[in-house]
Amino acid sequence: MSKYQCAVDFDAITALDVHTHVEIDSSGHRSLDDELMAASEKYFKSGAERTPSLDAIAQHYRERGMAAVVFTVDCETATGHPPNSVVEIAEGAARNNDVLIPFGSVDPWRGAAAVRRVHQLVEQHGVRGFKFHPSLQGFEPNDRRFYPLYEAIAEHGVPALFHTGQTGIGAGLPGGHGIKLRYSDPMLLDDVAADFPELTIIMAHPSVPWQDEAISIATHKSNVYIDLSGWSPKYFPPQLVRAANSMLRHKVLFGSDFPVIQPDRWFADFAKLEIKDDVKPLIYKENALRALRLRD
């Protein structure tokens, strides 16, 4: 077992992608069941490129002079589908620690076992944060039953990254495959941010249809950030672009949603936005280094 030790040269990299999915493990087990994966591939117009190996992901970012946060989502209770290996992601990141930073994931419905798993993933495997997808995992983040999870994560001083807004997972299926969008309303995270001021929270994606709420939360709570993953920048809501250029210039982070959105495409589309030159390096890297507590 290899415990992750970060060896990224943060001065040398051009960008840090805080939202990169690992969708398959070495056994061939994928992160979603076949029906959800097929629907997701249709929604994102993706295919075989959806499941590169972890080493291939590392090389993809290494060739671009970037680093990436890598993770999966443990949603077994809600979906009945076991996750691909979180431990393997941590070990693969340790093997590629010049470009990869591992996040863990726990099934929030596992109660005390999930809390123990948080401690284990940090202490034994060196994960540097945790990823949650409330809609896919089927839980309301502000339900106090889940507060022991946040206490454990905060104890280790690592961030929690939550999917917010619309999701492509289940899109186009009858009933959305049972996935409920309201669990990813960012206002549910406002409660968590208020009750755990020591916990860094990253709200993933433009939070459509709740973008104004997300901007308000990130403006009001110093411990809350927004990542810009999951949407091509050409589709960013205009109020998000304005906020990124002004009051949230230190609170927004580059994220792609790899592999469904590639960093090359993200940067090509982002270059067409009217983002101030002095804001771009903050978004590309500097804000993430602070949010992930990799730099003061």
Side-chain angles (χ1 to χ4, degrees):
M1 180 182 70
S2 300
K3 182 176 179 178
Y4 178 81
Q5 297 289 334
C6 187
V8 178
D9 184 343
F10 295 115
D11 293 323
I13 61 171
T14 59
L16 174 52
D17 188 340
V18 301
H19 203 111
T20 304
H21 289 269
V22 180
E23 299 195 328
I24 196 167
D25 58 29
S26 60
S27 71
H29 182 72
R30 301 202 295 181
S31 59
L32 299 172
D33 65 43
D34 291 344
E35 185 177 17
L36 278 179
M37 185 64 79
S40 178
E41 289 173 352
K42 181 179 180 180
Y43 179 86
F44 286 106
K45 298 180 176 63
S46 60
E49 71 277 8
R50 280 292 297 272
T51 53
S53 69
L54 198 138
D55 289 329
I57 294 171
Q59 187 59 24
H60 185 88
Y61 282 88
R62 192 176 287 120
E63 290 170 353
R64 287 158 178 77
M66 301 178 189
V69 170
V70 288
F71 50 70
T72 189
V73 179
D74 185 342
C75 53
E76 185 171 5
T77 297
T79 67
H81 184 78
N84 52 316
S85 175
V86 175
V87 169
E88 187 175 292
I89 290 173
E91 292 178 344
R95 190 169 61 246
N96 294 281
N97 65 349
D98 60 315
V99 290
L100 298 184
I101 300 169
F103 271 26
S105 183
V106 296
D107 185 338
W109 290 106
R110 296 201 180 276
V115 174
R116 290 193 297 271
R117 183 68 164 161
V118 165
H119 293 303
Q120 180 188 53
L121 287 171
V122 175
E123 295 168 1
Q124 297 182 21
H125 299 284
V127 304
R128 302 300 296 264
F130 287 85
K131 168 65 188 294
F132 294 96
H133 194 308
S135 291
L136 189 57
Q137 293 174 309
F139 78 109
E140 293 178 317
N142 63 347
D143 187 324
R144 289 183 174 270
R145 287 178 292 179
F146 307 114
Y147 273 28
L149 270 179
Y150 310 142
E151 291 171 359
I153 295 170
E155 178 183 330
H156 289 289
V158 298
L161 189 155
F162 290 84
H163 172 95
T164 64
Q166 163 77 1
T167 180
I169 300 175
L173 295 177
H177 204 71
I179 294 168
K180 297 176 180 177
L181 299 181
R182 69 179 179 87
Y183 291 147
S184 291
D185 183 338
M187 287 306 298
L188 301 177
L189 296 175
D190 186 62
D191 292 349
V192 180
D195 293 339
F196 293 91
E198 71 280 17
L199 175 66
T200 297
I201 293 172
I202 302 171
M203 298 186 294
H205 315 311
S207 300
V208 175
W210 302 291
Q211 188 60 71
D212 291 336
E213 288 87 337
I215 290 171
S216 294
I217 296 165
T219 302
H220 189 251
K221 304 291 192 297
S222 66
N223 52 320
V224 177
Y225 295 79
I226 294 173
D227 89 32
L228 300 176
S229 67
W231 294 63
S232 164
K234 67 182 178 181
Y235 299 121
F236 285 176
Q239 66 268 42
L240 177 60
V241 177
R242 289 194 299 270
N245 256 333
S246 55
M247 57 191 176
L248 293 185
R249 60 192 287 125
H250 295 291
K251 303 295 290 292
V252 292
L253 321 172
F254 160 53
S256 66
D257 214 13
F258 180 95
V260 297
I261 293 181
Q262 301 279 329
D264 292 350
R265 178 191 176 190
W266 191 97
F267 276 100
D269 289 347
F270 189 78
K272 299 173 184 177
L273 299 180
E274 294 184 0
I275 300 293
K276 298 174 183 176
D277 288 340
D278 61 333
V279 171
K280 291 178 182 178
L282 301 177
I283 294 174
Y284 294 166
K285 178 174 67 174
E286 297 303 325
N287 293 343
L289 294 180
R290 189 174 67 257
L292 272 58
R293 301 188 184 181
L294 296 168
R295 179 177 289 173
D296 294 333

